[in-house]
Amino acid sequence: MIDTQPFWNPLLETLDREKLQQLQLRKFQRIFKWAYDHSRFHRALYDRAGITPADIRSQDDIHRVPTVEKSMMRDIQRKDPFPYGDALCVPLEEVTEFRQTSGTTGQPVYQPDTWQDWEWWAECWAYILWAQGYRPRDRVFIPFGYNIFVAFWAGHYGAEKIGCEVVPGGVLDTASRILKIQELKATAMMATPTYVLGMADAARNQLGIDPAILSIDKITCAGECGASISSTKYRMESAWGAKVYDHAGATEIGAWSYECQAQSGGLHVNEGMFLVEIQDVDTGKIITEPGRRGKMIITAFDRIAQPCVRFDSKDVIEWADYDCPCGRTYRLIKGGVLGRSDDITKVKGVLLSPSAIEEVVRGVQGLGNEYEVVVEKQGDTDRITLKVEFVPEAETRRTDIERELVDQLRLKTNLRYDLQFFSLGALPRYEVKARRFKDMRAKS
Ligand SMILES: [Zn+2]
């Protein structure tokens, strides 16, 4: 592979739309038939809807295939073939990898993969990393507690696949990880936005090291929306003196999208490996035009052990109305994943997306990186409390900062908040996925 080649797969990533759609149709037909033939769960679902592989002749036919939700997977698992149940499409002995979802929205879902699937995961990540400038000369540090969650496991293998040297940061504590990055002159790393910011704080406060002088020049984020939220991205890039790139993926789906070096404000969908459809939440119709938000229905074309066919991801996305200057023809989703349809909630009758609050908090100079939002019922109305931290040198500008925060919140979210201010370090810190949005209304 030539180092200067901008695309991991020059043929697929620049394929014209018509050919790409023909390829997607053929690949959908193949995975649909695979699931229909090999999974009792999928066969029953499609039989109930009266749809067979022979019925899939066009893109429109795809939209008629029933979607699969996470709750349906929960119902069939923990049964034979144990623990995966009836969606397993291969003999149990062909399964080589076990992972599970984090269970933030209920009982975890188990995810089996074969060795072929695992190579497929690495291939998905090779697109991401190559598009973000990773090359064989890079030394990639992965500060991640390798465990039952897929997180950066596949990023690790993707980096190896393209020829990088990979340093597994495993069970080291944060300070030891930073010192190892310094010692080895690592050039790239992968982490959640929360941890990227947390590491920068630890470098400065525990070790007296300015992270910007370390040799990291690019960081790939996952797990949270932060790297597509401009104010959070800016905080990370200025702290580390590095480019920060977003990507989106999920245990049940795969790594399906990536930001490229052009940083044009969106993520490319890897359309050679996935079919992304955006569904209007109210009408159920498929949205093909830019600028309208809906929830993502996604198919992974080549994953075989437990197929992902029209999976209802609950991720809220919209198509971008511009092409990316990088030259890829893969469509962009604007602003990355905008939230989850079950996170975007009505407060005082107004639709509120937690990422909008993050954008405001991280955009106000003088506030720390952490914040917490609590929504409670008070009589007949909702009450939203926003907890933020002052950085020590900003205490004297408290009134100005408070005013800016109130104005920006009203502008960006159309809501009023009860604000609570804390000193830096008082709010909880998270190592992996943060839980900053707490909706207590159902519990009260
Ligand atoms: Zn691009």
Side-chain angles (χ1 to χ4, degrees):
M1 177 72 67
I2 306 164
D3 246 28
T4 51
Q5 159 64 252
F7 308 117
W8 173 249
N9 187 325
L11 178 76
L12 281 178
E13 287 177 275
T14 59
L15 204 59
D16 72 57
R17 279 264 29 105
E18 197 179 327
K19 285 197 178 128
L20 189 55
Q21 285 181 339
Q22 286 166 3
L23 177 73
Q24 289 189 311
L25 177 60
R26 283 206 306 278
K27 286 190 137 196
F28 186 92
Q29 288 166 330
R30 186 177 65 174
I31 193 68
F32 180 76
K33 184 170 184 339
W34 171 264
Y36 187 86
D37 288 347
H38 294 89
S39 149
R40 282 193 293 264
F41 162 75
H42 283 92
R43 170 72 74 107
L45 181 68
Y46 303 144
D47 280 349
R48 277 198 301 278
I51 193 160
T52 70
D55 297 320
I56 309 296
R57 290 181 294 266
S58 70
Q59 293 273 339
D60 286 343
D61 295 330
I62 295 175
H63 305 327
R64 296 193 295 116
V65 171
T67 57
V68 172
E69 296 199 17
K70 191 179 267 186
S71 58
M72 295 156 81
M73 301 303 293
R74 286 194 188 103
D75 292 344
I76 60 162
Q77 292 197 330
R78 294 162 183 82
K79 296 172 189 156
D80 285 338
F82 186 83
Y84 305 110
D86 277 347
L88 187 67
C89 285
V90 296
L92 206 47
E93 59 267 30
E94 287 183 22
V95 174
T96 58
E97 320 293 321
F98 169 90
R99 300 287 184 274
Q100 68 175 56
T101 61
S102 57
T104 43
T105 54
Q107 196 175 37
V109 171
Y110 300 143
Q111 182 66 49
D113 279 310
T114 65
W115 186 247
Q116 178 185 320
D117 290 328
W118 193 242
E119 291 191 329
W120 164 87
W121 260 111
E123 177 70 4
C124 296
W125 267 89
Y127 279 81
I128 297 167
L129 298 174
W130 197 267
Q132 298 176 350
Y134 288 67
R135 295 294 180 270
R137 63 183 172 275
D138 277 305
R139 181 171 291 142
V140 183
F141 188 86
I142 307 190
F144 153 65
Y146 293 72
N147 55 29
I148 50 175
F149 306 124
V150 77
F152 295 101
W153 273 105
H156 177 126
Y157 287 94
E160 288 183 347
K161 179 166 185 173
I162 67 176
C164 300
E165 179 185 340
V166 179
V167 185
V171 295
L172 300 176
D173 63 23
T174 301
S176 308
R177 286 168 172 169
I178 294 160
L179 292 172
K180 194 51 88 178
I181 287 170
Q182 185 181 41
E183 176 198 337
L184 295 176
K185 300 186 171 56
T187 56
M189 69 173 192
M190 305 174 192
T192 60
T194 293
Y195 196 56
V196 171
L197 291 169
M199 281 177 89
D201 285 345
R204 283 188 292 253
N205 303 335
Q206 290 177 34
L207 302 168
I209 295 173
D210 174 5
I213 62 152
L214 296 174
S215 44
I216 297 286
D217 62 26
K218 49 192 164 298
I219 299 171
T220 301
C221 287
E224 302 164 342
C225 303
S228 281
I229 295 173
S230 53
S231 55
T232 302
K233 191 197 217 39
Y234 175 78
R235 284 194 177 209
M236 291 191 279
E237 291 197 329
S238 45
W240 284 90
K243 286 286 179 191
V244 170
Y245 299 105
D246 196 11
H247 105 281
T251 314
E252 314 93 311
I253 302 168
W256 55 272
S257 70
Y258 49 93
E259 186 174 13
C260 68
Q261 279 183 296
Q263 293 189 307
S264 63
L267 304 183
H268 287 283
V269 173
N270 186 339
E271 293 181 291
M273 300 177 80
F274 298 89
L275 178 70
V276 163
E277 301 163 77
I278 304 179
Q279 189 180 54
D280 186 301
V281 178
D282 295 324
T283 66
K285 293 243 165 60
I286 298 299
I287 299 168
T288 54
E289 69 274 26
R292 275 179 60 205
R293 292 183 178 189
K295 63 177 178 173
M296 178 175 78
I297 309 293
I298 188 163
T299 301
F301 293 133
D302 309 296
R303 196 179 194 182
I304 62 168
Q306 184 168 283
C308 169
V309 181
R310 296 207 86 222
F311 178 67
D312 180 350
S313 70
K314 316 278 186 209
D315 286 330
V316 175
I317 56 173
E318 67 179 67
W319 295 117
D321 55 359
Y322 56 88
D323 294 327
C324 187
C326 72
R328 285 178 180 80
T329 50
Y330 282 0
R331 270 187 109 168
L332 289 168
I333 52 165
K334 192 174 174 182
V337 173
L338 302 166
R340 291 180 52 77
S341 57
D342 41 15
D343 268 359
I344 294 181
T345 167
K346 272 197 176 169
V347 179
K348 297 180 187 172
V350 174
L351 278 180
L352 174 70
S353 157
S355 60
I357 299 175
E358 173 167 333
E359 179 162 10
V360 170
V361 172
R362 298 271 171 81
V364 174
Q365 290 270 330
L367 294 180
N369 291 321
E370 282 304 331
Y371 65 94
E372 195 172 284
V373 185
V374 183
V375 184
E376 292 159 301
K377 202 108 199 126
Q378 198 173 52
D380 286 341
T381 61
D382 299 325
R383 172 187 153 138
I384 325 174
T385 306
L386 172 62
K387 302 176 187 180
V388 292
E389 294 178 347
F390 276 122
V391 298
E393 55 275 21
E395 290 278 1
T396 51
R397 295 193 293 115
R398 187 183 169 127
T399 319
D400 292 343
I401 291 171
E402 198 169 332
R403 191 177 309 131
E404 184 184 348
L405 185 59
V406 169
D407 289 348
Q408 287 296 316
L409 285 167
R410 197 175 305 151
L411 194 70
K412 300 267 170 61
T413 69
N414 282 316
L415 288 164
R416 281 174 185 277
Y417 298 75
D418 291 327
L419 298 176
Q420 291 180 10
F421 293 91
F422 296 85
S423 53
L424 195 65
L427 293 174
R429 259 61 185 163
Y430 301 89
E431 279 231 347
V432 191
K433 284 194 188 186
R435 301 207 184 155
R436 302 191 176 99
F437 187 80
K438 295 178 177 159
D439 191 344
M440 315 300 283
R441 289 173 298 179
K443 293 164 194 146
S444 55

